[in-house]
Amino acid sequence: VQLQASGGGLVQAGGSLRLSCAVSGRTIRGYAVAWFRLPPGKEREFVTAISRSGGSTYYAESVKGRFTVSRHDAKNTMYLQMNSLKPEDTAVYYCAAGPNIITSSLATRSSYAYWGQGTQVTVSS
């Protein structure tokens, strides 16, 4: 299973970006999917996740109301729409996917078996 993240770039504060993550090797149907990010000088942190059924979404407090996660199982792709970006959103963003992840573990890095290579998002002030 391979994940390929794209869509990162340089944007001014207040702007928007849409990240995509294309999955190959197997269907993501039945997998939970998530986005994590690695800010400069910090540890990788949870951003958002969608349950394996697609019926529930979860967000870090820092991005609630600004970011929206979605998935398109038929296209084997997941997305992260980021609006009202702030300089503190600057990070390398990683997509992740995995089977059999319970709700309480969706924000845990070790729950995910498959990871993308990351895409850089830089927000200037």
Side-chain angles (χ1 to χ4, degrees):
V1 179
Q2 293 187 325
L3 284 69
Q4 180 74 39
S6 61
L10 173 63
V11 63
Q12 288 188 332
S16 298
L17 281 175
R18 188 192 195 207
L19 306 184
S20 299
C21 179
V23 182
S24 60
R26 68 142 284 154
T27 177
I28 59 172
R29 202 178 304 273
Y31 274 21
V33 295
W35 291 90
F36 287 75
R37 67 186 181 186
L38 181 63
K42 298 183 179 180
E43 294 188 352
R44 194 175 299 194
E45 62 185 27
F46 170 77
V47 177
T48 181
I50 300 182
S51 63
R52 56 188 177 180
S53 70
S56 299
T57 56
Y58 305 88
Y59 295 91
E61 286 295 326
S62 59
V63 306
K64 275 185 182 178
R66 301 187 297 121
F67 289 12
T68 303
V69 63
S70 60
R71 61 189 293 167
H72 195 309
D73 287 1
K75 293 185 177 181
N76 236 30
T77 303
M78 53 193 285
Y79 305 96
L80 180 62
Q81 178 66 44
M82 305 185 294
N83 298 328
S84 302
L85 282 161
K86 304 176 181 180
E88 51 264 44
D89 294 318
T90 294
V92 178
Y93 283 72
Y94 297 88
C95 51
N100 305 318
I101 302 175
I102 60 176
T103 300
S104 60
S105 297
L106 284 172
T108 304
R109 286 181 293 173
S110 60
S111 299
Y112 295 88
Y114 307 107
W115 289 82
Q117 85 291 357
T119 184
Q120 176 71 47
V121 172
T122 302
V123 184
S124 64
S125 57

